[in-house]
Amino acid sequence: MDTASSILNSIQSQPLKPEIFAACGAVVILLLTLYYAFFSTDEERPANFTISLPKQCKPGWQGQVLDEPAIKIAGSSAIQCYCPANGMLLGRVNPVTQDGIDRAILRAKDAQLEWAKSTFSQRRRVLKTMLKYILENQESIATIACLDSGKTRIDASLGEILVTVEKLKWTIQHGEKALKAERRPTNFLMMYKHNEVRWEPLGVVAACVSWNYPFHNLMGPIISTLFTGSALILKSSEQTAWSLAPFVSIARTALSACGHSPNLIQPLVCWPTTANHLTSHPSVAHITFIGSRPVAHSVCASAAKSLIPVCVELGGKDPAIILDDKSNIKRLPQIASILLRGVFTSSGQNCIGIERVIALPNSYASLISILEPRIRALRVGSTLDEPEEVDVGAMISDANFDRLERLVSDAVAQGAKCLVGGKRYVHPKHPRGHYFSPTLLVDVRPRMRIAQEEVFAPICVLMRADSVDDAIRKANSTPYALGASVFGSASSKDVEKCVRGVRAGMVSVNDFAVYYAVQLPFGGMAGSGYGRFAGEEGLRALCNVKSVCRDRWPGWGIRTSMPGAIDYPVQSAVRAWHFCSGMVELGYGEGWSRVEGLWRMVRNA
């Protein structure tokens, strides 16, 4: 005992080193992995599969550099696909016709009839199979995303892969609980009833998604649709049509590997003139739309013809409020790092990107001094060509460059200062790429156009607020209301005041957009759209909500029996009225009135 005690005391007096904890953890993970691989009989074990990668993903691939990169080709209906970072041709994609949309919907309907009968366990296995493949093939997925959108590998990892595997993991772990039938309360008169709400498959749903996240924007609707037991018509943007096939093949091949029909997912791409056929199709039960406000008006008007419900996510003008408490002043360099990531991720082409930094007086000048040299040092380029020399990637096209330059020059003309950038950038190695200089614009006021319009570009807009109330007013001064950030002391009442006061669908405190990394419901209000995807609310939104009311004790013969006073044909309308009014008093009155109600029922029965 003395020896054991001395050993124990020795262990307690000398804390274990982190390296020992790490080694022990690695051994445990290895043993669990070996057990899972060789001894587990888990019915949800992921299936293995492989996918042939496009030749463009191979190291050293070089394509034809287009003289004038554009998705439209003169004299052809085909979509020309190219890399926005260097202008290299990726290929051409033929857009679907109206007949093609009809055939895709028929295939999906046929496949969904069987899939609707699948168990949650079977659905989880498909998602686990997808998860396994994505984790093992991160590099190739990132390469495809970078080729088609021009973003950096880091942006592809954080904005495409991480959020996709989070959605998969959350749905695997919590999806069944979200969709299980839920018991609801009853009342006094209906005490003999059992009430529940069910979430059942809708059938065939559609998703029309934007180009800024070509992998995640496709995979998100796929994950939710499959888990809810429906089939999906998935329309990609013409801007990223090339990556549609390799990305969707991950889900379709996972379905096949698990013994299910790949026809549950029907990918397509078309020109806007054809899209209305999909968005008004009577066989489509729900539409998820991610895109711009002008296109949303068209989609919703089209969907209204068949009364199709639409979840609309339209981007925003997200503010980040920087309070003046002491903890913030000390943490400004760390806060600036979060702001930079929030502004310049995916070259600012992020619906929940930080579009306005609103700082109180004591933080304002210091923040400028921190941000200016860091933004000036940002390197722009092609991550696949110069992987160690790029911070900010390309933009999807140069179509908005004139508008962006006008927004900056108009703001400067009205008193703002452009400290860095403010114009398009011609890359010396990639002159056919679409680049806009990382920009810092300060002293911006709410009435300036750049403070009102979504820029969707690598532009950091800094605004000064005189007080917390002024910061909230400025945050709420645009038509948008998607996300927001508030930076301040955790114990500060001003932080909670901002969280309550800012008009938005989502708020991050001392962070940027983390609500999406934990699968909280995603969406906004006002000019940012309506409806939610992600989380429990997002899954349920893709279901038919069915209310079921049944007898609680059917075996005892306790069920509804129509009272004689109100049975058709009614013998006495006066007696029937007194009976009904007494029943209402019995069920919903208070105290003695309930007894009076019962007596009235008895007298008029």
Side-chain angles (χ1 to χ4, degrees):
M1 288 294 291
D2 291 341
T3 302
S5 177
S6 63
I7 293 174
L8 180 62
N9 290 333
S10 176
I11 293 173
Q12 291 174 337
S13 63
Q14 299 182 15
L16 293 176
K17 296 180 179 180
E19 293 84 353
I20 297 176
F21 278 113
C24 293
V27 170
V28 171
I29 292 172
L30 176 62
L31 291 174
L32 288 173
T33 303
L34 290 172
Y35 172 81
Y36 186 80
F38 295 105
F39 300 104
S40 175
T41 58
D42 185 3
E43 294 179 353
E44 297 179 11
R45 180 188 298 178
N48 294 313
F49 67 91
T50 57
I51 294 174
S52 297
L53 294 176
K55 63 181 180 181
Q56 293 87 342
C57 293
K58 295 180 180 178
W61 174 81
Q62 292 289 311
Q64 171 194 351
V65 178
L66 300 171
D67 290 333
E68 296 183 3
I71 61 173
K72 291 186 176 180
I73 310 170
S76 173
S77 64
I79 299 168
Q80 181 170 256
C81 307
Y82 64 93
C83 177
N86 53 30
M88 287 187 184
L89 178 67
L90 296 172
R92 292 181 175 87
V93 173
N94 289 320
V96 73
T97 63
Q98 291 187 7
D99 288 341
I101 291 173
D102 291 336
R103 290 192 295 271
I105 291 175
L106 282 175
R107 288 192 294 270
K109 286 179 71 173
D110 289 343
Q112 194 272 336
L113 293 176
E114 191 63 30
W115 182 246
K117 304 172 188 175
S118 62
T119 64
F120 285 123
S121 179
Q122 290 172 315
R123 298 173 193 176
R124 270 194 298 269
R125 186 180 184 225
V126 173
L127 299 194
K128 288 181 179 180
T129 299
M130 291 167 57
L131 175 61
K132 181 175 183 290
Y133 180 88
I134 293 170
L135 291 174
E136 293 174 352
N137 294 273
Q138 295 185 57
E139 188 167 351
S140 60
I141 291 170
T143 298
I144 294 171
C146 293
L147 282 168
D148 212 14
S149 69
K151 65 181 57 184
T152 67
R153 282 192 177 275
I154 294 174
D155 289 341
S157 178
L158 297 177
E160 305 275 14
I161 297 171
L162 183 147
V163 288
T164 298
V165 295
E166 157 60 21
K167 189 177 186 75
L168 280 164
K169 198 74 172 179
W170 184 92
T171 308
I172 290 166
Q173 294 177 338
H174 308 290
E176 181 175 358
K177 179 184 176 184
L179 298 182
K180 266 194 168 181
E182 186 176 279
R183 187 165 178 181
R184 295 294 175 87
T186 188
N187 57 50
F188 182 76
L189 294 179
M190 296 287 115
M191 67 175 70
Y192 63 98
K193 295 293 184 180
H194 177 279
N195 309 320
E196 68 179 25
V197 177
R198 299 179 181 180
W199 288 271
E200 298 183 346
L202 279 174
V204 176
V205 300
C208 304
V209 298
S210 58
W211 45 261
N212 54 332
Y213 291 99
F215 179 65
H216 179 68
N217 283 352
L218 297 178
M219 299 305 291
I222 288 174
I223 293 165
S224 296
T225 300
L226 289 179
F227 200 78
T228 55
S230 289
L232 178 66
I233 310 298
L234 184 57
K235 181 197 170 297
S236 169
S237 167
E238 311 91 270
Q239 297 283 359
T240 49
W242 177 75
S243 58
L244 176 64
F247 284 157
V248 172
S249 67
I250 296 173
R252 287 171 60 90
T253 310
L255 282 163
S256 296
C258 295
H260 306 289
S261 173
N263 285 337
L264 287 164
I265 308 297
Q266 294 293 316
L268 56 87
V269 61
C270 63
W271 293 110
T273 51
T274 308
N276 281 346
H277 188 68
L278 171 63
T279 54
S280 62
H281 203 289
S283 292
V284 171
H286 182 278
I287 297 173
T288 298
F289 174 79
I290 304 173
S292 68
R293 290 177 68 185
V295 178
H297 286 291
S298 176
V299 169
C300 291
S302 176
K305 296 174 185 176
S306 297
L307 298 180
I308 304 171
V310 187
C311 173
V312 183
E313 196 279 284
L314 305 179
K317 192 70 180 170
D318 290 12
I321 297 176
I322 318 298
L323 298 177
D324 260 352
D325 54 54
K326 292 181 180 179
S327 66
N328 256 17
I329 303 298
K330 293 178 181 178
R331 292 184 59 250
L332 277 180
Q334 292 81 13
I335 293 172
S337 293
I338 297 174
L339 296 176
L340 288 170
R341 178 58 60 185
V343 172
F344 294 103
T345 287
S346 293
S347 299
Q349 300 166 122
N350 182 7
C351 59
I352 49 173
I354 295 175
E355 292 242 345
R356 296 171 296 152
V357 179
I358 304 172
L360 269 69
N362 293 336
S363 302
Y364 188 78
S366 299
L367 201 54
I368 293 175
S369 66
I370 296 170
L371 289 173
E372 181 178 357
R374 294 186 65 176
I375 294 174
R376 197 179 298 279
L378 292 176
R379 301 161 298 175
V380 177
S382 171
T383 190
L384 298 179
D385 296 303
E386 300 92 27
E388 296 296 333
E389 303 173 17
V390 176
D391 299 304
V392 180
M395 296 189 69
I396 196 68
S397 80
D398 59 2
N400 266 329
F401 285 2
D402 288 343
R403 182 182 75 91
L404 294 174
E405 289 175 344
R406 282 197 303 271
L407 288 174
V408 173
S409 61
D410 288 351
V412 171
Q414 296 177 59
K417 298 183 182 69
C418 184
L419 303 183
V420 183
K423 58 186 178 180
R424 70 193 74 197
Y425 175 70
V426 179
H427 199 285
K429 294 182 180 179
H430 312 292
R432 298 295 183 268
H434 304 315
Y435 296 100
F436 198 87
S437 300
T439 298
L440 175 60
L441 193 66
V442 305
D443 296 347
V444 174
R445 295 192 299 274
R447 291 187 179 181
M448 297 176 181
R449 283 181 59 206
I450 201 164
Q452 293 295 315
E453 298 180 17
E454 185 179 32
V455 295
F456 227 55
I459 299 176
C460 181
V461 170
L462 194 57
M463 306 172 71
R464 177 189 172 107
D466 296 327
S467 64
V468 175
D469 288 334
D470 186 39
I472 294 172
R473 277 193 299 271
K474 286 176 177 173
N476 293 339
S477 65
T478 78
Y480 296 95
L482 187 58
S485 296
V486 181
F487 292 85
S489 172
S491 59
S492 170
K493 292 181 179 179
D494 288 338
V495 169
E496 182 60 27
K497 184 176 184 178
C498 289
V499 170
R500 288 178 176 272
V502 169
R503 188 176 56 142
M506 305 163 289
V507 180
S508 290
V509 176
N510 290 322
D511 218 320
F512 148 69
V514 286
Y515 37 74
Y516 198 54
V518 292
Q519 284 299 292
L520 289 175
F522 185 96
M525 55 186 289
S528 291
Y530 50 83
R532 297 293 185 269
F533 56 81
E536 185 174 291
E537 290 80 2
L539 271 185
R540 290 179 170 183
L542 283 177
C543 295
N544 172 46
V545 183
K546 182 178 286 185
S547 301
V548 180
C549 184
R550 55 158 54 97
D551 292 326
R552 181 180 291 183
W553 304 291
W556 294 3
I558 301 177
R559 57 177 59 91
T560 297
S561 179
M562 194 59 57
I566 58 174
D567 198 11
Y568 285 125
V570 175
Q571 299 300 311
S572 170
V574 173
R575 288 180 58 198
W577 163 254
H578 288 302
F579 181 89
C580 290
S581 61
M583 183 173 61
V584 171
E585 284 286 345
L586 173 63
Y588 301 98
E590 297 290 340
W592 186 252
S593 69
R594 302 183 74 177
V595 177
E596 293 177 342
L598 176 60
W599 176 240
R600 199 179 312 151
M601 287 177 64
V602 171
R603 283 191 302 149
N604 293 279

